[in-house]
Amino acid sequence: SHSGRYEVIDEIGEAQGLPIASEILMINESRGSLQVKTPKGNTMYFSRTKPDLWHDEEEKGIDIAFRKHQNKTVMEVSKGGRQWRWQKMRGSQ
């Protein structure tokens, strides 16, 4: 499961214009659906479109993919040809 807390790992300057406006996110995955919550309580919903790809249900053009990178789970969020990355926080299941 990809559930857990994630922190943005790109440079803060690069983090401007985040499609999901938070540097820390809580991910809940269940039954092919992904919930992305920000600390302020905003929630976005994503549906699985491929085995490891999700697309936002509000049709804002946001895609999420998960990759393994140096033994860590990295969540890649892309929109309009740009990409931002969050990594699962240590100790977060």
Side-chain angles (χ1 to χ4, degrees):
S1 169
H2 297 303
S3 298
R5 290 181 72 199
Y6 288 73
E7 60 187 343
V8 73
I9 54 176
D10 293 308
E11 294 294 321
I12 294 302
E14 283 291 310
Q16 298 309 312
L18 290 174
I20 305 168
S22 178
E23 290 170 20
I24 294 182
L25 300 172
M26 177 65 85
I27 307 299
N28 287 306
E29 179 191 356
S30 67
R31 297 189 301 276
S33 178
L34 210 63
Q35 276 184 16
V36 179
K37 293 184 181 179
T38 71
K40 293 180 180 174
N42 297 327
T43 304
M44 289 186 70
Y45 297 89
F46 291 76
S47 294
R48 190 192 302 264
T49 56
K50 292 179 182 173
D52 214 25
L53 190 70
W54 282 261
H55 186 75
D56 75 284
E57 294 182 0
E58 296 170 35
E59 294 299 331
K60 293 182 178 178
I62 303 173
D63 290 304
I64 289 180
F66 292 90
R67 312 260 186 261
K68 281 291 186 193
H69 182 68
Q70 295 175 348
N71 265 352
K72 291 191 176 175
T73 299
V74 174
M75 179 175 71
E76 296 177 349
V77 178
S78 51
K79 179 180 181 181
R82 292 188 65 194
Q83 194 173 78
W84 298 263
R85 297 173 303 151
W86 281 259
Q87 72 181 6
K88 188 178 273 195
M89 297 170 74
R90 184 171 295 156
S92 174
Q93 298 303 323

